[in-house]
Amino acid sequence: MFGLDTGLTVLLLLCLVAALSFEFINGFHDTANAVATVIYTHSLKPNVAVIWSGIWNFIGVNVGGIAVAMGIVNLLPTEALIDQNIYHAMAMILSLVLTAIIWNLGTWYFGIPCSSSHTLLGSIFGVGIAYMLLPGSNSIALNWQKVSDVGLSLLISPLFGFGMALGLMYLLKVLIKKNKTIFKEPPAKKAPPLWIRSILILTCTSVSFSHGSNDGQKGVGLIMIILIGIVPFKFAIDHTQSPEALLNKVNKVELVLNKVDVNKLKADDKKNFSIISDRIDSINLILVNKKNFEEIADNKHFEIRKDILLITKKTDKILSAYGSTILLNSTKEEFASLKSDIKGMKSFTEYSPWWVILMVSLALGLGTMVGWKRIVVTIGEKIGKSHLTYAQGASAEIVAASTIGVSTWLGLPVSTTHVLSSGIAGTMVAESGKSNLQMKTVRNIAIAWLITLPVTIIMAGLLFLLLRLIMG
């Protein structure tokens, strides 16, 4: 398989199965976020709700793009994705996947809504930090800019969910003065009026789709880390495109960058510009006269990937700092062309094969259809003291779907679990004040939110060092 020997093929398949298992567990762990409201308002029967949610999770993965997936991949620097000893890459991959699975299963068993995003990202952080402790790592193991962006996203999203759901409930109370049905407890085993039922099914669908488009991408990113780390000569760059197309974009970028007024650059930016020039020379040397990527030596594919990442990253940094003013005698068209060609270069590293997306969407969709009941009970019955009303369910899911959708558009992972559960809490407070919350459940969710990152960081880091020692 992919030109690997039998032993490595078995380990690769093991890693892929583990990654898909994580996404399967993610499905039934997070299903409750979408279906709790339609089940507790009797809008859909449980079995129908989870199947419907599974279908829309599947669709969400397939049409949601790969921006979040690439954000996951780019958390680790290129040096951590490849090693002369391929078993070191295996150690890295297995430690972060196993940690994520263990923590997700543990919190699910106790019925605690826990973020799969926190779990996976904590595992990646743990591996990265442990990598820093190894000799020769040069203390570089995490993309700290990406870490700060992701950390901020995960920190703000639950607070945003609580505040927005609280505000939306107050707004509904002000706007809806005659028909108070949506603020009442749903009658036992009786479906709501058609218009309310339609809204709740629509919000369930939106959360399911948004969950697939965001959380599904985390599985895609995880599998791409596996493929790039273990089979870089096949997946470090997109083989469906041609070296000629890449070389054309590199040459066009070089042509415009030749107009940069180096004297205007600060000292650090001059170093960055020098790196760009060196990497352009490197990629030109590797790609010259090559018609397809199969003609390139196996050990050069990762070097091409590194060249592309450094050229695009450093160029973006210079352009964001100086804009078009840094270019001498250039036109607006040339500046626009430069940005377009940089984006085109990124497409050679920011990609995912169709079959990876299909596997993840199937795993997430199938996982959505099982194991959902534990978390549903927590969200539906144990966050608030009163029964979930139509307005509360719709408000929480509207906020969750919109928050997740915006995060996906920005390429940031976000916790579906924390956004939705904090939204439910916000609606409960809006209904009857803080006294309407079951503080034991809220504390459990908050504790899980606070300890997930440190626990998974420590667990993944230690497991990585242990497996690396065992695998040599």
Side-chain angles (χ1 to χ4, degrees):
M1 186 178 183
F2 301 133
L4 300 174
D5 62 34
T6 303
L8 288 176
T9 298
V10 171
L11 284 173
L12 173 60
L13 291 173
L14 178 64
C15 289
L16 292 176
V17 169
L20 292 174
S21 298
F22 165 78
E23 205 58 42
F24 182 84
I25 295 166
N26 184 9
F28 69 70
H29 196 287
D30 285 5
T31 302
N33 302 310
V35 301
T37 56
V38 289
I39 290 175
Y40 275 88
T41 57
H42 314 300
S43 299
L44 288 176
K45 292 182 179 179
N47 290 337
V48 174
V50 294
I51 292 172
W52 182 252
S53 179
I55 291 170
W56 282 98
N57 267 282
F58 175 88
I59 295 171
V61 179
N62 280 278
V63 303
I66 59 169
V68 174
M70 292 305 102
I72 296 294
V73 174
N74 291 332
L75 281 172
L76 289 168
T78 51
E79 289 82 358
L81 285 177
I82 192 69
D83 196 298
Q84 293 299 318
N85 185 335
I86 200 167
Y87 291 100
H88 292 172
M90 291 282 189
M92 176 190 74
I93 291 159
L94 286 173
S95 57
L96 67 88
V97 175
L98 290 176
T99 298
I101 289 174
I102 291 168
W103 188 252
N104 257 3
L105 280 177
T107 52
W108 166 81
Y109 180 79
F110 290 104
I112 301 173
C114 180
S115 168
S116 297
S117 301
H118 278 64
T119 304
L120 177 59
L121 295 172
S123 302
I124 292 174
F125 295 168
V127 169
I129 292 169
Y131 188 88
M132 293 171 63
L133 303 176
L134 298 174
S137 68
N138 298 319
S139 299
I140 299 174
L142 286 172
N143 183 333
W144 292 109
Q145 180 58 51
K146 274 290 180 184
V147 169
S148 63
D149 291 344
V150 168
L152 192 61
S153 171
L154 293 175
L155 176 65
I156 291 176
S157 53
L159 304 176
F160 182 82
F162 179 89
M164 289 300 292
L166 179 70
L168 185 54
M169 276 292 291
Y170 281 133
L171 182 62
L172 289 176
K173 287 185 175 183
V174 171
L175 295 177
I176 301 175
K177 296 181 178 179
K178 291 184 178 181
N179 192 338
K180 297 292 185 180
T181 305
I182 65 169
F183 300 111
K184 296 178 181 178
E185 179 179 329
K189 298 182 180 179
K190 183 179 178 182
L194 181 60
W195 69 276
I196 295 177
R197 188 181 187 188
S198 300
I199 291 173
L200 288 165
I201 293 174
L202 179 61
T203 57
C204 166
T205 304
S206 299
V207 172
S208 301
F209 176 84
S210 299
H211 178 260
S213 65
N214 196 282
D215 272 48
Q217 288 193 52
K218 294 159 193 170
V220 173
L222 184 56
I223 289 181
M224 289 309 296
I225 288 175
I226 293 170
L227 295 175
I228 293 168
I230 298 175
V231 204
F233 54 88
K234 288 288 186 182
F235 298 100
I237 44 179
D238 184 3
H239 282 211
T240 64
Q241 302 191 62
S242 71
E244 292 174 319
L246 175 56
L247 192 57
N248 179 55
K249 294 185 185 301
V250 172
N251 290 335
K252 288 168 69 177
V253 167
E254 182 180 23
L255 191 64
V256 179
L257 289 181
N258 284 336
K259 295 186 176 185
V260 169
D261 185 356
V262 180
N263 294 323
K264 288 185 178 180
L265 298 177
K266 297 177 182 178
D268 287 345
D269 293 321
K270 286 181 179 179
K271 291 180 181 178
N272 287 333
F273 190 76
S274 178
I275 291 172
I276 294 170
S277 299
D278 290 342
R279 291 299 170 175
I280 287 176
D281 292 341
S282 168
I283 208 167
N284 270 310
L285 188 63
I286 297 172
L287 296 180
V288 66
N289 298 325
K290 298 297 190 294
K291 300 296 182 183
N292 57 69
F293 287 111
E294 281 68 29
E295 296 178 16
I296 298 169
D298 288 352
N299 62 348
K300 293 295 182 181
H301 288 76
F302 182 71
E303 190 173 333
I304 295 171
R305 179 183 179 85
K306 190 171 183 178
D307 289 341
I308 292 171
L309 292 175
L310 285 170
I311 291 168
T312 55
K313 181 180 178 181
K314 302 298 184 183
T315 303
D316 280 343
K317 186 176 181 180
I318 290 174
L319 293 182
S320 64
Y322 301 93
S324 59
T325 60
I326 198 65
L327 301 176
L328 295 170
N329 303 318
S330 66
T331 64
K332 290 182 179 179
E333 289 74 18
E334 284 179 316
F335 185 68
S337 175
L338 174 61
K339 297 183 76 172
S340 175
D341 289 324
I342 288 295
K343 184 177 180 181
M345 286 181 64
K346 290 178 181 178
S347 70
F348 283 81
T349 58
E350 297 184 355
Y351 81 101
S352 178
W354 65 269
W355 53 269
V356 171
I357 296 173
L358 179 61
M359 285 195 310
V360 170
S361 60
L362 285 171
L364 183 63
L366 292 172
T368 298
M369 299 178 191
V370 301
W372 47 271
K373 193 169 183 179
R374 290 177 185 270
I375 310 296
V376 163
V377 170
T378 298
I379 288 179
E381 298 180 10
K382 296 182 179 180
I383 292 179
K385 293 179 180 178
S386 60
H387 196 288
L388 199 68
T389 66
Y390 304 130
Q392 288 173 323
S395 297
E397 292 210 320
I398 288 171
V399 169
S402 57
T403 302
I404 299 163
V406 170
S407 298
T408 302
W409 177 68
L410 293 173
L412 293 171
V414 70
S415 168
T416 306
T417 301
H418 290 153
V419 173
L420 197 284
S421 57
S422 62
I424 295 287
T427 64
M428 290 293 174
V429 172
E431 189 65 36
S432 305
K434 183 180 176 181
S435 61
N436 196 31
L437 292 175
Q438 294 195 46
M439 295 310 297
K440 181 180 178 181
T441 302
V442 173
R443 278 195 298 271
N444 287 341
I445 295 173
I447 289 171
W449 180 50
L450 291 172
I451 70 170
T452 291
L453 277 179
V455 168
T456 51
I457 286 171
I458 294 170
M459 189 186 304
L462 292 176
L463 189 56
F464 168 67
L465 294 175
L466 177 62
L467 289 175
R468 190 175 167 106
L469 181 65
I470 293 172
M471 292 183 172

